[in-house]
Amino acid sequence: MTNQPIDRFKSQVFHILSEIPKGECIAYGELAKLAGFPGYARQVGSLMKNLPNDTKLPWHRVINAQRRISFAENTDGYLRQKEKLEKEGWVIVGSKLAFNKNLIKK
DNA sequence: TGGGCGGCTACCG
DNA sequence: GCGGTAGCCGCCC
């Protein structure tokens, strides 16, 4: 209540996030834009960070505009996201994220 | 009230 | 393609 747009922004983000199908990913800024709040990319990141560990939201499908995981490689967050993504058919190619589906092997 | 900090982005060299 | 820089915006001291 009271807070207005931000609250709505959060709701929108969670809603959109919950509708992202498996095997698809989206950038922070893109997600924010879809929610109707362009420029809130960092805020999306903050939200993801705030998510509980037992959340069922596909937060791992949210990556940065460079198509990379926004964590340092040695962090647990990176490992967690990487593992979840690989389970859904994604694969890390040169620190970049790419969809598996055999197209990597030309 | 003020300043610094992020799971970001776009631009520039 | 990559590092540095400047905007962006809510959140937490």
Side-chain angles (χ1 to χ4, degrees), chain A residues 20-21 23-27 30 60-63 67 85 90 97:
Chain A
I20 296 181
E24 188 174 324
C25 69
I26 186 173
E30 205 163 326
H60 52 275
R61 289 175 195 155
V62 184
I63 60 179
R67 220 56 188 184
L85 285 172
W90 290 92
L97 214 51

Side-chain angles (χ1 to χ4, degrees), chain A residues 3-90:
Chain A
N3 230 305
Q4 356 64 22
I6 300 150
D7 219 38
R8 230 167 57 65
F9 161 71
K10 295 179 184 175
S11 301
Q12 278 300 312
V13 170
F14 289 135
H15 180 248
I16 295 173
L17 184 56
S18 69
E19 301 218 319
I20 296 181
K22 173 182 173 188
E24 188 174 324
C25 69
I26 186 173
Y28 297 94
E30 205 163 326
L31 180 51
K33 194 156 101 179
L34 284 182
F37 293 76
Y40 277 57
R42 297 192 88 147
Q43 239 43 253
V44 174
S46 294
L47 275 188
M48 298 301 103
K49 188 174 201 161
N50 228 311
L51 286 177
N53 310 298
D54 55 18
T55 181
K56 32 138 206 67
L57 287 172
W59 59 271
H60 52 275
R61 289 175 195 155
V62 184
I63 60 179
N64 64 27
Q66 294 175 101
R67 220 56 188 184
R68 316 216 287 97
I69 295 177
S70 291
F71 281 118
E73 299 185 11
N74 51 21
T75 63
D76 60 314
Y78 174 87
L79 296 175
R80 254 187 298 198
Q81 184 164 15
K82 177 177 184 289
E83 193 160 332
K84 283 174 179 287
L85 285 172
E86 287 181 336
K87 265 189 155 187
E88 299 192 350
W90 290 92

